[in-house]
Amino acid sequence: MKRRVLALLVVLLPLTGCAAIPTQTNPKPLGPSASRQTSVEAPEPEKDLDPLSIVREFIVASASPEGDYAAAKAYLTPDARKSWNTKGTPTIIDNVFNTVPSSGDSDLPSDAKQRTVQVVGRNVGRLDLQDSSFVQQGGDLNEPVRVEQVDGQWRISTPPVGVFVTSADFGRVYQRVVLFFYDKDRNVLVPDPRFVLVPPVIGIPQRVTELLVKGPSSAMRGALFSELGPDAGINKPTGEANDGALEVDLTRLGDPSPAVRKKIVAQVVRSLAGVTSSRVRVLLDGAAISPDRKDWRPADVQSGDALITPSAEERGMVATNGKLVSLPDDTQVKGPAGTGEYNIVSGAQSLDGSQLAVVSRTGPNAVRLLLGPAEEALREVNLEAASLTRPTWVPGNTAGQPGTEVWTVGDGVNVFRAVRGEGGVWSTSAVNATELAGFGHIEELRLSRDGTRVACVINGKLFIAAVVRSEDSTPTIRVPRPQPTSLDGVVTTVDWLAQDVLVAGTSLPNSPVVRLNIDGLKIERYNTSNLTVPVTSIAAAPGRPVLALDHTGLWSASEVGDVWRGSQVKPDPTGYVFYPG
């Protein structure tokens, strides 16, 4: 048994960064210190540190939650150690920060026993204690910290409200884990990333299970659904069985059908795939949940990826000079869309490749939306606007099924959808996007290929929001969250590389194209070679090279470090490039 426990530790140790979640069976919101209330002796701070250094070292020590932040508390006065609230939402700040004297202390004598130090820097985000999700939170940091002398040594008497930790330390202490829930139609598994504390490593699977049982994150509630149900619990802690399998024993699931049991297994196995390489044994009240098999691996479960993956036969298109041309050979597409008669501004292709949606210019301040089979005459829908964003398709409910719903934004303000009904008739209606109102002009809107999220470029800023559908499938855009402040005002275009990964074009010469996770904490910059800014159009899709259009031409790169390669297609600089979706 000891050997098996050691083996599990070896597997999990490289996966640094997990679990602000208590280890009890019934999860509840707790601070990252909640599971470590045991007494830990921390070394005393270095002697004779000045007030600025005391505060700086305190922030550095706050990265360690052991013993309810014992290392950080060593920098506090005895009274402050008792009153400092370590159970609040952890705030992540930029790695570069300063401690400076407060301007109000300028008149104090040099031998004053009390001073105020300002922690100055930039906010990065916070950890939502309700669900352990990361939330972007930009803006300046200017936090006053009061210090006083205790037995000749400076100590903090009024610490910041809550715990402050630098983004580098956050990355060392917390791990990103990805849970999986279902879309509204319960056909596709959708990622829902969280961040949890690392130690103790052996307890990570249990903490992931607790998060899974609690359900989707607050930002995605109503957009994602769990087949475990709202009453699900854990029968016994998740851990290694005698034969080395990782056992997950659930309870209070009711009596799910065989099909639902398989979906529950898929949720559990996919959610644990990032924290263990062991076989996963899913139990219900101590018995195997499915008679089909005892143990599962990710390859054994259905994820629904086939429903949201573009057809391999469809290589992408470019809207240029009023028509659509195919990639990579620069031939005009069949049918009227390829002749130029529609004066096409932008376009989109359904995932199966059979349907087109194009924005057609009819005058200096007038456009229309045309929809229909790719090689046939397209139909105009009832939608008046001076401008329409590049269309985006909602996936069909079965693999290979043509899409029946298209979204676009009119005049930068109104989000519309066109839905094909019986007889092939398209009808249009407004999407409830009230929560987007006030952020500004919507320059681009892209639905994720699973249909559960939208990425929007608004006044050069990137936002991600949930798509919540009612019982009759009427959508509402909910909980829009701004993405990294480092990209504020410079984002020009965006597309979905994967369900939880975006690629954005910018006007920054040192970062013309970036890749980022949907939580926005990790940003990777593509090679800058050959590209010029601004990048005006981006196309991305799973397993496809990223395509970027600038005023010099069309470029492609498969990986972040790749040199951008030119295409034989030479689009109009105002054109749009797109993959199906």
Side-chain angles (χ1 to χ4, degrees), residues 6 50 77 85 96 104 111-112 125 139 186 218 222 234 237 246 254 327 334 349 379 391 402 415 443 449 458 471 509:
L6 181 59
D50 61 83
T77 65
N85 180 16
V96 178
D111 60 350
R186 310 299 209 278
S218 57
I234 301 173
L246 185 66
L327 296 174
K334 297 178 180 179
Q349 187 181 24
R379 299 182 182 182
V415 181
E443 296 150 2
R449 289 184 174 85
I458 304 178
E471 289 299 320

Side-chain angles (χ1 to χ4, degrees), residues 331-531:
T331 58
Q332 68 182 44
V333 303
K334 297 178 180 179
T339 65
E341 67 178 85
Y342 290 144
N343 194 16
I344 294 172
V345 178
S346 64
Q349 187 181 24
S350 61
L351 280 172
D352 72 323
S354 69
Q355 304 289 307
L356 288 178
V358 302
V359 175
S360 165
R361 182 162 299 285
T362 58
N365 294 300
V367 294
R368 57 180 177 168
L369 181 65
L370 303 176
L371 302 161
E375 298 181 5
E376 300 178 14
L378 305 180
R379 299 182 182 182
E380 181 178 357
V381 299
N382 182 24
L383 187 60
E384 296 182 0
S387 67
L388 291 171
T389 60
R390 176 167 58 128
T392 180
W393 285 86
V394 176
N397 291 331
T398 59
Q401 178 189 35
T404 60
E405 185 175 337
V406 175
W407 288 30
T408 185
V409 180
D411 301 323
V413 177
N414 303 306
V415 181
F416 294 106
R417 67 171 181 147
V419 179
R420 187 178 66 219
E422 295 183 6
V425 178
W426 291 88
S427 61
T428 60
S429 59
V431 173
N432 185 344
T434 304
E435 295 186 25
L436 284 179
F439 288 115
H441 187 272
I442 303 174
E443 296 150 2
E444 192 160 52
L445 181 147
R446 305 298 301 154
L447 277 161
S448 60
R449 289 184 174 85
D450 55 41
T452 63
R453 294 180 172 96
V454 291
C456 306
V457 179
I458 304 178
N459 288 350
K461 298 182 179 181
L462 182 60
F463 291 78
I464 296 177
V467 178
V468 177
R469 291 183 180 267
S470 63
E471 289 299 320
D472 64 356
S473 291
T474 301
T476 300
I477 297 177
R478 296 290 310 278
V479 198
R481 287 183 171 177
Q483 294 308 294
T485 55
S486 60
L487 299 178
D488 279 1
V490 301
V491 180
T492 54
T493 179
V494 69
D495 204 359
W496 292 90
L497 180 63
Q499 289 174 283
D500 58 349
V501 182
L502 292 165
V503 177
T506 81
S507 57
L508 287 176
N510 64 343
S511 306
V513 178
V514 297
R515 182 170 70 188
L516 63 157
N517 293 332
I518 54 175
D519 46 60
L521 187 59
K522 181 181 180 182
I523 303 177
E524 297 175 286
R525 290 164 174 79
Y526 278 81
N527 197 314
T528 62
S529 63
N530 296 328
L531 292 184

Side-chain angles (χ1 to χ4, degrees), residues 312-329:
E313 298 177 357
E314 305 300 333
R315 306 293 296 277
M317 296 181 180
V318 179
T320 178
N321 296 314
K323 61 185 178 181
L324 296 184
V325 299
S326 298
L327 296 174
D329 52 9

Side-chain angles (χ1 to χ4, degrees), residues 49 60 73 103 115 118 324 335 379 409 450 491 549:
L49 289 177
V60 172
K73 285 183 175 180
S103 58
R115 295 185 181 278
Q118 300 292 135
L324 296 184
R379 299 182 182 182
V409 180
D450 55 41
V491 180
L549 181 62

Side-chain angles (χ1 to χ4, degrees), residues 99-412:
T99 51
V100 300
S102 171
S103 58
D105 284 2
S106 58
D107 296 331
L108 292 176
S110 59
D111 60 350
K113 304 298 184 184
Q114 293 185 336
R115 295 185 181 278
T116 300
V117 176
Q118 300 292 135
V119 181
V120 179
R122 295 281 298 174
N123 289 307
V124 173
R126 60 182 175 84
L127 194 65
D128 189 330
L129 291 184
Q130 296 298 317
D131 53 28
S132 288
S133 62
F134 176 82
V135 181
Q136 287 286 330
Q137 183 173 294
D140 294 330
L141 170 70
N142 196 340
E143 185 76 13
V145 178
R146 191 73 172 166
V147 298
E148 64 180 47
Q149 286 197 343
V150 177
D151 297 330
Q153 299 295 314
W154 289 104
R155 294 292 183 265
I156 296 171
S157 58
T158 307
V161 177
V163 177
F164 284 69
V165 59
T166 66
S167 56
D169 286 333
F170 180 79
R172 284 191 289 268
V173 178
Y174 287 79
Q175 177 180 328
R176 185 179 191 262
V177 297
V178 181
L179 307 185
F180 284 86
F181 301 94
Y182 284 96
D183 68 333
K184 180 181 182 296
D185 295 313
R186 310 299 209 278
N187 292 322
V188 178
L189 281 173
V190 181
D192 192 5
R194 315 293 179 86
F195 286 84
V196 289
L197 276 169
V198 175
V201 173
I202 199 169
I204 291 175
Q206 165 67 8
R207 295 190 284 275
V208 170
T209 305
E210 288 172 342
L211 281 174
L212 185 64
V213 166
K214 289 179 68 175
S217 60
S218 57
M220 295 301 293
R221 206 157 292 149
L224 300 182
F225 301 86
S226 177
E227 290 288 8
L228 279 68
D231 301 321
I234 301 173
N235 191 46
K236 67 179 182 181
T238 297
E240 185 186 20
N242 290 334
D243 61 358
L246 185 66
E247 277 193 351
V248 181
D249 194 352
L250 304 172
T251 189
R252 300 197 302 274
L253 303 186
D255 185 18
S257 67
V260 170
R261 287 171 185 255
K262 287 186 178 181
K263 289 185 175 182
I264 291 171
V265 169
Q267 271 191 258
V268 173
V269 172
R270 286 292 301 275
S271 297
L272 287 167
V275 299
T276 182
S277 60
S278 299
R279 294 168 286 119
V280 178
R281 181 171 302 150
V282 185
L283 308 176
L284 176 56
D285 293 321
I289 193 171
S290 173
D292 290 350
R293 62 192 312 143
K294 181 179 179 182
D295 298 335
W296 304 79
R297 294 187 183 276
D300 301 325
V301 300
Q302 296 294 321
S303 64
D305 286 349
L307 296 172
I308 58 173
T309 302
S311 170
E313 298 177 357
E314 305 300 333
R315 306 293 296 277
M317 296 181 180
V318 179
T320 178
N321 296 314
K323 61 185 178 181
L324 296 184
V325 299
S326 298
L327 296 174
D329 52 9
D330 197 24
T331 58
Q332 68 182 44
V333 303
K334 297 178 180 179
T339 65
E341 67 178 85
Y342 290 144
N343 194 16
I344 294 172
V345 178
S346 64
Q349 187 181 24
S350 61
L351 280 172
D352 72 323
S354 69
Q355 304 289 307
L356 288 178
V358 302
V359 175
S360 165
R361 182 162 299 285
T362 58
N365 294 300
V367 294
R368 57 180 177 168
L369 181 65
L370 303 176
L371 302 161
E375 298 181 5
E376 300 178 14
L378 305 180
R379 299 182 182 182
E380 181 178 357
V381 299
N382 182 24
L383 187 60
E384 296 182 0
S387 67
L388 291 171
T389 60
R390 176 167 58 128
T392 180
W393 285 86
V394 176
N397 291 331
T398 59
Q401 178 189 35
T404 60
E405 185 175 337
V406 175
W407 288 30
T408 185
V409 180
D411 301 323

